[in-house]
Amino acid sequence: VADGHGEFGHWASHWAARFALHLATTLLADAEGLPEDGALARLYDTVHAGVKLKAAAEGFDVVLSGTTMTLVVIDRTAMEALVTWCGDSRCVIGRQGDKGPEVVVASADHKPSDPEERRRVLASGGDVRRVYDDTPWRVYVRGREAPGLAMSRALGDLLAQSVGVSHAPGLLRCSLQPRDVVLLCSDGVWEFMDDAEAIRLAVPFGKGGAGDAAEALAVDARERWLREDRSFTDDITALVLHV
């Protein structure tokens, strides 16, 4: 999942997803089992560089535009998953437990409110603040009103990258069981829905109902947005995979 933001976020996300798919396919063709962490970190470096080069060649801006990216690699033989992410497009893995659907593991959104993320931004000449008490923490160049990025890691976003925003991915590995469900969703899903709610919604659809589960997540998320504000919803992307 790649969720763009800014005026040219649609192009940033488009090319990030294309580059990542090509690079991951090439990487996995030569790999036995899941790749090493370093190989995935280099993949994100290459995607970030590719987006910058494509922006220069095609004439779109990634100074104030960029994208999240979440990429999951699954080894069905070893029944293991490698979850990588940059930004706030979350991956949640769940299964049917003894007491109902339950969350197994989830990626942690990269937000400037996180103490470690905040420290990195402040040490790099950035500032982290809210405009109002009920709005998200955002990253700014110190003494300026830009860029106002509501995440602490992203691809592109060159102004934010100059003050501590990073494109280095988070990584986690976990063991899988048959019939586990993997959710990859943009923050449009997670704004008003927590991990457990999403797993409870998706798991009952079963292995043959991944498409229906993804649609149900997207529809439910949209309805929650519209209950808050009838005139606006965020971008909503939901992918569902059954192991």
Side-chain angles (χ1 to χ4, degrees):
V1 168
D3 181 22
H5 49 262
E7 182 179 359
F8 298 99
H10 57 293
W11 284 119
S13 59
H14 169 82
W15 287 110
R18 291 191 65 174
F19 291 150
L21 180 60
H22 172 75
L23 291 167
T25 302
T26 302
L27 176 65
L28 294 173
D30 299 325
E32 295 183 4
L34 295 176
E36 296 297 320
D37 291 357
L40 268 298
R42 290 190 294 273
L43 183 148
Y44 276 73
D45 282 339
T46 304
V47 171
H48 177 70
V51 169
K52 288 198 298 182
L53 290 171
K54 198 66 180 178
E58 299 289 335
F60 62 90
D61 166 61
V62 288
V63 174
L64 293 172
S65 297
T67 184
T68 70
M69 191 166 74
T70 301
L71 173 67
V72 179
V73 183
I74 294 175
D75 183 338
R76 291 180 181 272
T77 301
M79 292 298 285
E80 294 178 336
L82 170 57
V83 180
T84 71
W85 72 99
C86 180
D88 59 5
S89 293
R90 195 180 310 158
C91 173
V92 180
I93 299 175
R95 64 177 60 121
Q96 181 66 41
D98 293 337
K99 298 181 180 180
E102 61 186 20
V103 174
V104 176
V105 71
S107 59
D109 298 347
H110 292 134
K111 293 292 191 181
S113 54
D114 178 90
E116 289 189 14
E117 300 289 295
R118 181 188 180 99
R119 277 194 290 270
R120 187 185 66 247
V121 171
L122 295 178
S124 301
D127 192 13
V128 175
R129 63 181 187 268
R130 282 171 159 171
V131 177
Y132 302 105
D133 289 343
D134 61 346
T135 57
W137 292 94
R138 295 179 182 274
V139 175
Y140 296 88
V141 175
R142 195 167 297 155
R144 294 180 56 183
E145 296 303 315
L149 187 65
M151 63 194 75
S152 55
R153 301 195 196 188
L155 300 165
D157 289 299
L158 300 186
L159 181 58
Q161 299 259 347
S162 73
V163 291
V165 167
S166 171
H167 58 271
L171 301 104
L172 64 84
R173 295 172 184 266
C174 70
S175 298
L176 299 172
Q177 295 180 9
R179 295 181 296 280
D180 278 358
V181 61
V182 181
L183 311 182
L184 288 84
C185 305
S186 68
D187 67 323
V189 170
W190 305 117
E191 183 71 20
F192 300 111
M193 187 183 307
D194 65 30
D195 300 351
E197 287 179 300
I199 289 297
R200 286 196 298 269
L201 191 158
V203 165
F205 282 91
K207 193 165 187 177
D212 291 335
E215 182 177 2
L217 282 167
V219 168
D220 193 312
R222 183 175 184 274
E223 290 175 349
R224 294 179 188 221
W225 274 94
L226 293 174
R227 284 199 292 271
E228 291 291 317
D229 183 345
R230 295 297 302 175
S231 64
F232 175 79
T233 71
D234 195 3
D235 299 332
I236 295 172
T237 297
L239 300 182
V240 178
L241 172 68
H242 284 265
V243 178

